[in-house]
Amino acid sequence: MLNKELGISELSGIQFGTIVTAGYLALGIFYFPRELVSTAGRGGIWALWIDGLVTFLSMKLNFAMSRLAPSQTFVQFVGDLVSTPVALVLDLFRVVYHLGLAVLITVLFTSFMGNDFLPGTPTWALAGIAIVGAVYIASFGTTALARLLQVGYIPMMLINLLSLGLTITLIKYPLLLLPPLTIRPIPIFEAAYREFFIFIGFEVSITLYPFVKPRDRNRAELYATGGLGLVLFSLTFMYETCIAAFGPSYITYMRWPTVTLLRAVEVSGFFVEKWGSLVITLWTVAVLGFLAVRLWCVVHDIAALHFVHSIKHYRYILLPTAVAVYVLGLSIPNAAITNDLTEKLFIPAGVIQLVVIPVFVLIIGRLRPTTVAKLRKRTTRTSTHSS
Amino acid sequence: MIVQYPTSSALLDYADHKPVSNSGKPVEDIVVAGSGITQCFSRAQSKIAKDLYLGQIQLVDLSTHMTPPTLLRALVSLNRIGTMDLTPFIFVSGSPLPDVMDTPGNGAQFPTLYYVTQETCVDCQPVNLSIHLWQFSSDALTPGVDPHLPYVTVEPNKNVTVNRIALYRHLQFIVALNPQQTADYGLLKGLAQKLTLAVPYDHATVRDIHGYSRLSTHLKGGQIQARFHIVLQGTLANLRSITDTTTDNAIIARESSEILSRQCLAVLTFTQQHDIDPWGIGRMLNWQHPDAFARYPHWHHEYPRVEMVVHVQMQLHKLGDLK
């Protein structure tokens, strides 16, 4: 599959890093850090760092897998490597999984907006706004998506981080800033499992990898890892301010702790006194970004399944996918159900996606070096063609 | 519940960019009673043709007669209003809400700002007593700490005084501290600002006392010890002699520290007698020694037996000295 011939422009390293970063974080951010604190108490910070480490390692694994055939997406090359039926199962699993994540974020966004900002607006309208926005962003293809995230997502993250700095004024108990030294491993691991949700979604990288300019690939990996570092830093910051302002017991009673924290910030004298509330509405950018990245990913995976023969049909697949997400999203009545679904289905599925499949594919790759060499050869030829 | 909405004249003034106070009352009140927030709100809505909005709650006034189940229900429903920030101020009063609200104040235009200044204790020299709803909820829901609130008194001459602290055991109102105890309370919590103290030595006065306080818990062979380390700064005034020596300063600093620590200990003992822990000693024990705290299923049984240690460190400045 020749990228240039298909009219796909190529991404720079930082664009790749931004899309991959926008591909996670949005789902778990609403609950954060409730799951950590309710399971592990003050030890939640260790759980967060464990999650960060696991994500870092699985990111490495996924990049190693992508490097088997750098110019092809997972769905394109996996059929040649493992047999076609196995590949079909893996691919379908991937499509369903990404579709599910898109549905979850739609439901979360809808209930969050409905609860906190627009109580009178009907659910279908809120979900519709999110999906139409995401479809619009995704419809222009990879480069447009990347550029939009670059101008929307990165400033949003920065403003968010700076505003979180204001919450330092709410800190009542600096003692709580210190990570606790009495470590109880079982609750910490349990919390790490339940909070892993926040990092799920970056596996979009294995579909995205071939779209990066070949000479930028090493830098792209660096940017994605840097993005993870930044996310981990800001999550740690959020966790610390939240727990030091509210105390560990109160957080477990809250629906959206970080939202409450930002809304409790009052900048008296500034012309927008409720600056925190304003910043929370900017989270919409993160949600739309996440949803757009998901839709993009699902559509590319479906297209590569050879149900249709070219990525030129991108927009025609995008629309039915979005409709499916919308309908499924409306069929879930509230955010408590998504919470349950996440714990029982999506975290295990995410672990399979992020760890089990890469390990499996890498082992097969090691066992069949000739096939990998053939793939590489084709890939190199592809990239010479395309450049 | 009092529901307020802007009067039409105030809206007209606002549209013309005129100050609101020109044309009398900026807001109109609807006073309603009911067994819950929702009921009150729907009753208020039925009294007026305008659309009311429950998102902007400015102030929560609790009654001293409120039973814990009622208070819990009210707190839960307040916390569940998703559109509301949990930042309104909350206080407790023995007088009915309309009486409290009817008292004249200079803050009609900025009710939120008004209560920030109003809730500084008058007699005990400004201890900032204001409590946000989320702070109260946090204390009420955390084990090992009892919530407290500013106690608003309506004087016979229709003036509002806020110079006392109401103490709760869980959600049950128990007792209100007197102004002197409230001042010491401010010291122990590290909230005190501009406190004044008369010292017997040379009839000196130490004014502008302010500082911070640090609470820590220690375990000594099964005995829990709570240590308050209070670091204060004050300005020396009203000395009879014209010049003061270093020795004088040291003596006055020691005496004032002693007086203050004695007063603070008295307040701590008072709360131990009533078995109320507004300091969060149990909570601190939970954070510093979680295993020890887990041994006590009922913190209130243990609290009166805690050994209290108050250490006051006073640093004096001479009047006119640069800090």
Side-chain angles (χ1 to χ4, degrees), chain A residues 6-46:
Chain A
L6 294 167
I8 299 163
S9 315
E10 293 179 330
L11 298 175
S12 70
I14 192 162
Q15 284 172 334
F16 175 80
T18 316
I19 297 189
V20 170
T21 311
Y24 55 99
L25 190 67
L27 265 179
I29 198 84
F30 293 108
Y31 298 131
F32 189 81
R34 199 184 63 203
E35 304 290 309
L36 287 175
V37 177
S38 60
T39 319
R42 283 177 62 204
I45 190 72
W46 298 115

Side-chain angles (χ1 to χ4, degrees), chain A residues 81-218:
Chain A
L81 196 63
V82 300
S83 58
T84 320
V86 178
L88 190 70
V89 172
L90 292 185
D91 298 343
L92 283 178
F93 172 63
R94 200 175 148 75
V95 168
V96 171
Y97 167 76
H98 277 281
L99 209 63
L101 288 186
V103 172
L104 283 193
I105 192 74
T106 313
V107 176
L108 271 179
F109 175 73
T110 312
S111 18
F112 161 70
M113 272 301 183
N115 276 337
D116 271 28
F117 290 103
L118 305 164
T121 316
T123 320
W124 58 263
L126 291 170
I129 292 163
I131 295 203
V132 169
V135 167
Y136 183 74
I137 297 172
S139 65
F140 294 100
T142 322
T143 323
L145 176 66
R147 290 200 182 131
L148 199 96
L149 288 178
Q150 240 178 325
V151 294
Y153 195 79
I154 297 176
M156 190 278 298
M157 284 294 284
L158 285 178
I159 292 176
N160 230 314
L161 208 58
L162 291 176
S163 310
L164 273 169
L166 295 173
T167 56
I168 290 176
T169 53
L170 297 180
I171 292 179
K172 284 202 296 184
Y173 320 110
L175 170 83
L176 292 176
L177 292 173
L178 301 172
L181 294 174
T182 40
I183 293 171
R184 297 191 185 86
I186 292 170
I188 287 180
F189 281 116
E190 199 184 323
Y193 173 78
R194 290 178 66 191
E195 192 62 54
F196 191 57
F197 199 39
I198 205 160
F199 291 106
I200 276 181
F202 76 83
E203 62 274 24
V204 66
S205 70
I206 53 179
T207 305
L208 198 65
Y209 202 82
F211 292 87
V212 185
K213 289 176 201 153
R215 62 169 186 284
D216 266 15
R217 282 191 181 135
N218 281 337

